[in-house]
Amino acid sequence: MPTNPAPMLRIKDLSASIGGQEILQDVNLEMAQSDWLAVVGGSGAGKSTLLRAVMGLLRPARPTAGQIEFNGQARRFADANKARMAGIAFVPQSPAHGFDPLRRLRWQWDQLARHNQVAAGRDRREILAALGLPDLGSSYPHQWSRGMQQRLLLAMALADAPKLLILDEPTSALDPLIAAQVLQETQRLSKERNIAVMMVTHDLSLAARFANQIAIMQAGRVVESGSADQLLCDPKHPYSRELVSYRGWHRAELDRRHAAE
């Protein structure tokens, strides 16, 4: 009798605090290798702290309970804080945190390629073109717009072929049309490279279009999680119903996703 494969990522009973105040409380989540998980919630819900925990960068928060299992290996947070987990790539909300302003972009790509086996040459140009970017040439970060820098961070993360790609508000620097196009290409490339995606977003229409799983966070807790179809069409928790009602989303986004599958 066939059995379901173990989750690629499992967060078990995670709690963390800063200065004695709990900012994550009993968080439980699972992701399969094929999942695109959108983490949604208001400011202060604990979304960014959760992302740092998954990357093994929980400080300045201190773990009080729980553990992460990633790719079949369990790490307690006391150990995970010492080093990032291999196989995880992160794209921050602000591209200013992703580049050395004094180094050419080509040099920064080559350094990442040398240390992390990121694709170079033809594959680099193909990934850049897929995200609407030119080749790097001799440009410095300041010569590219914030939106172009954000797309370049995505390209570098995808080229590294991690098992899990973490996106923190990845479209905040992009206009809505470009945002949808970039995420569509990110989805295509992640499927080609078998990369799972965890994305923090406030835009439920983007979550509906690209995520197959959604987790709603409030006050450091995951109050509801499940398939995008179920959670957006029939939310159970009062806070989930409030988000779906007031933040707005379009059923057409779910229909677009299903049509593309």
Side-chain angles (χ1 to χ4, degrees), residues 31-156:
M31 286 185 68
Q33 186 64 57
S34 59
D35 280 344
W36 183 310
L37 170 68
V39 182
V40 182
S43 299
K47 303 184 300 297
S48 295
T49 302
L50 178 62
L51 297 189
R52 290 198 301 271
V54 172
M55 291 186 293
L57 298 173
L58 198 53
R59 293 175 182 172
R62 297 178 60 86
T64 58
Q67 68 177 23
I68 285 177
E69 296 176 6
F70 175 68
N71 200 29
Q73 295 184 341
R75 292 195 182 187
R76 298 187 183 279
F77 293 105
D79 300 324
N81 269 325
K82 296 177 183 178
R84 297 184 183 184
M85 290 184 176
I88 298 177
F90 173 61
V91 178
Q93 180 176 358
S94 172
H97 298 151
F99 296 109
D100 181 341
L102 302 180
R103 296 283 190 174
R104 297 183 192 273
L105 293 172
R106 179 67 174 271
W107 182 91
Q108 297 186 57
W109 183 292
D110 289 344
Q111 290 300 302
L112 191 61
R114 184 174 297 117
H115 292 291
N116 293 346
Q117 300 176 347
V118 173
R122 178 180 176 184
D123 192 39
R124 181 192 71 240
R125 291 189 292 271
E126 289 178 353
I127 293 173
L128 293 174
L131 296 178
L133 295 171
D135 204 12
L136 305 177
S138 58
S139 301
Y140 286 92
H142 73 271
Q143 294 176 299
W144 284 33
S145 69
R146 187 168 181 264
M148 292 175 70
Q149 291 179 31
Q150 188 78 352
R151 282 180 278 165
L152 179 56
L153 287 176
L154 269 170
M156 294 169 76

Side-chain angles (χ1 to χ4, degrees), residues 10-11 15 28 78 82 105 111 121 155 188 194 206 219 224 248:
R10 178 185 284 130
I11 302 171
S15 295
N28 288 275
K82 296 177 183 178
L105 293 172
Q111 290 300 302
R188 181 182 66 81
N194 196 29
L206 288 179
E224 187 171 359

Side-chain angles (χ1 to χ4, degrees), residues 13 39 45 73 114 191 198 202 229:
D13 304 322
V39 182
Q73 295 184 341
R114 184 174 297 117
K191 286 181 177 179
M198 176 184 286
H202 289 88
D229 300 67

